[in-house]
Amino acid sequence: MSQIQCLDLKRQHQKIKAEIFAAFEQVYEKTAFSGGPFVEKFENEFSAFCGVKHTLGVNNGTSALHLAMLALGIGPGDEVIVPANTFIATAWGVSHAGATPVFVDCTPDTWQIDASKIEAKINKNTKAIIGVHLYGQPFDIDAVKKIADKHNIFMVEDAAQAQGARFNNTCVGGFGEMACYSYYPGKNLGACGEAGGITTNNDAYAAHLKSLRNHGMTVRYYHDEIGYNMRMGGLEGASLSVKLKYLQEWNEKRRSIAGLYQSKINNSKVTMQAQPSWAKSIYHLFVVTVEDKDAFVKHLEQNDIIPAYHYPVPCHLQKAYAHLGHKAGDFPNSEYLANHCVSLPMFAELTDEEVARVIDVINAY
Ligand SMILES: *Cc1c(COP(=O)(O)O)cnc(C)c1O
């Protein structure tokens, strides 16, 4: 029996190799390696896909979050609310801008930021809330936006795991001031290389982001502010244009695999992420929790199913944030998840036989 990995990038890339290489050739012939027409083409296509006005391509998702904070004028002395249960880069964006991430626990069932715990963390220094559409499932946008509006602070979406996810049937990416994306190869929409993006409906933010990512200039060699080199590469942009055409199909395939897991895994030891009616997930990951995680993982591995863990340490207990003074017990739901999470195989190219095998093996545990 061959092993089933949590993610196998080779299958997707072998299927579309000829198309991707043809796109690379065009970039090469035009020597459009940094920014340029292939990045602009992708930006326009991604804006149309998300139903937003602007997309700004950047070099990775962490830069997207960093630049979003800068464009909102967030800096030293400011606080930004971030879920404790997320990939650490959500907090990096805040830290890189010189501000302080203030963590909030997740709910015990959706595993998303718990909106009812946000207001207690808001003070005069709070400038924004970053909600994360974690594992591909939208967070409770209405509840978070209501709090942001009430306190006159910004809401930013971290949509790195959620290209094409829907909230009440509207694509994520336009609900806050900006939304930040990663096109890391392992994401639902991933470049052949490192890349990221920011979507916004605000013309002024778009213009500012364009300058910030390109050395703080709008006119060549005239630098209006201290800027960054965070442009997207042309090869990355071209590969993203090719893949965007397939994203809907790949997301639907993930949704059908998730549907099989949800309807056919009937082992009461396995807990799945709760699905509120307004959330249409694109299942970047399929995370479950199991009380006796180590034994469960051993059982999977003995049956050639290789899981992953998203994420084994919540942000507030990472060494990098030790200076914030958190301790175990501060955010019990996030800590429970970290200690009990197991990510099942999830990618569009899984075969029916493989999905059936995962289900059988889990039901036999
Ligand atoms: C991947 C990811 C990022 C960061 O993206 P990079 O492209 O790896 O820098 C940020 N937030 C979340 C939730 C992510 O999953």
Side-chain angles (χ1 to χ4, degrees), residues 60-62 65 86-87 89-90 132 158 160-161 182 184 187 195 311:
N60 60 57
T62 306
L65 286 151
T86 180
F87 178 59
T90 311
V132 182
D158 181 340
Q161 304 188 353
S182 167
Y184 174 77
K187 303 288 158 95
Y311 297 90

Side-chain angles (χ1 to χ4, degrees), residues 263-285:
S263 61
K264 300 210 160 145
I265 293 174
N266 53 28
N267 188 327
S268 61
K269 296 191 189 94
V270 174
T271 302
M272 297 179 187
Q273 186 181 22
Q275 302 266 301
S277 58
W278 36 257
K280 188 172 173 187
S281 177
I282 50 139
Y283 299 98
H284 170 58
L285 298 167

Side-chain angles (χ1 to χ4, degrees), residues 93-150:
V94 178
S95 295
H96 292 339
T100 304
V102 174
F103 298 112
V104 169
D105 205 1
C106 60
T107 76
D109 59 350
T110 66
W111 305 333
Q112 309 279 11
I113 191 164
D114 188 340
S116 73
K117 293 184 177 146
I118 292 176
E119 277 194 296
K121 303 275 178 175
I122 294 178
N123 62 44
K124 63 178 188 343
N125 298 321
T126 311
K127 291 286 154 34
I129 307 169
I130 307 179
V132 182
H133 304 308
L134 198 67
Y135 312 140
Q137 178 170 306
F139 64 88
D140 191 349
I141 292 173
D142 280 346
V144 174
K145 186 81 174 76
K146 212 164 135 188
I147 296 164
D149 288 347
K150 180 177 159 193

Side-chain angles (χ1 to χ4, degrees), residues 279-351:
K280 188 172 173 187
S281 177
I282 50 139
Y283 299 98
H284 170 58
L285 298 167
F286 198 94
V287 175
V288 301
T289 60
V290 182
E291 189 59 44
D292 192 359
K293 174 188 146 182
D294 293 342
F296 179 70
V297 166
K298 202 167 154 201
H299 172 77
L300 292 181
E301 288 178 346
Q302 277 166 349
N303 286 282
D304 283 320
I305 295 166
I306 314 302
Y309 312 96
H310 300 89
Y311 297 90
V313 182
C315 296
H316 66 288
L317 298 180
Q318 295 286 355
K319 204 167 151 188
Y321 285 122
H323 59 279
L324 297 179
H326 283 292
K327 57 184 188 318
D330 284 357
F331 302 120
N333 296 332
S334 298
E335 291 163 28
Y336 181 88
L337 198 69
N339 291 329
H340 299 89
C341 64
V342 180
S343 299
L344 304 183
M346 175 54 78
F347 52 97
E349 297 76 22
L350 277 169
T351 66

